[in-house]
Amino acid sequence: MSVLNNFKLVDVKRNNQMSPVQQRRNKLIKKLWEQMEFIKAKQRGEIYAPKRLRTVTNKVTGERVTVELAKRIRPWYWTTDSGKICLSIHYGAKVIALAKGMTAIELVAESEILPTLEKIKAATEAGELDQQIVAVSLA
């Protein structure tokens, strides 16, 4: 009992519920992190393919087996006809409107993509994109 006397003991219940706003932020932050890892791997000349578990049924035996498959990551950026890079932010299958009618960020070079994603991630963590996330999730 002498060891426990050295600690400050309290009676507290853990809150296991997260607010819907925080859940949406975390979902977007996770996807931003995946895009950043995708770009870092591309800069190193590697392929970023995180693994995920899928349960499939063997057609011969009918047995359900869990296998590890590579998850496909689609880049959120593309090159326009004028040679500029455009970056859009996705929430699920939908594109977030960053301002009214504006769905992409125009960049001059590919080297600007990673710092831009880091700034967007910081803005998401600060709650600056909450209204846009709610609007696109309810649409």
Side-chain angles (χ1 to χ4, degrees):
M1 219 28 204
S2 63
V3 174
L4 291 179
N5 290 336
N6 295 332
F7 299 118
K8 179 181 177 185
L9 303 175
V10 293
D11 182 26
V12 169
K13 293 189 179 187
R14 185 176 181 171
N15 185 4
N16 291 332
Q17 296 285 3
M18 242 191 297
S19 71
V21 172
Q22 188 64 42
Q23 288 175 348
R24 289 182 180 122
R25 275 187 210 160
N26 290 344
K27 179 180 176 180
L28 182 57
I29 289 169
K30 179 182 174 190
K31 296 299 179 182
L32 286 165
W33 180 83
E34 282 182 350
Q35 286 294 314
M36 291 177 355
E37 290 299 311
F38 176 80
I39 291 167
K40 288 176 188 175
K42 185 176 179 183
Q43 289 173 347
R44 291 189 305 263
E46 300 171 357
I47 296 173
Y48 176 68
K51 304 292 184 193
R52 68 176 180 173
L53 296 176
R54 296 277 314 241
T55 303
V56 295
T57 303
N58 187 333
K59 293 181 181 180
V60 177
T61 63
E63 179 183 0
R64 293 178 58 87
V65 181
T66 302
V67 294
E68 191 175 81
L69 298 173
K71 181 179 176 183
R72 184 174 73 188
I73 304 292
R74 295 182 184 178
W76 289 355
Y77 63 93
W78 67 96
T79 305
T80 63
D81 295 336
S82 63
K84 305 259 181 168
I85 306 292
C86 286
L87 172 68
S88 59
I89 308 302
H90 295 254
Y91 184 80
K94 298 177 184 174
V95 177
I96 294 177
L98 300 170
K100 187 162 179 92
M102 307 293 175
T103 59
I105 301 169
E106 186 178 82
L107 305 170
V108 177
E110 275 193 38
S111 61
E112 295 179 11
I113 298 172
L114 190 59
T116 303
L117 285 172
E118 289 171 351
K119 289 176 185 174
I120 292 169
K121 183 180 174 210
T124 304
E125 289 171 346
E128 294 179 29
L129 294 175
D130 286 348
Q131 292 177 350
Q132 291 92 332
I133 295 170
V134 169
V136 82
S137 66
L138 298 177

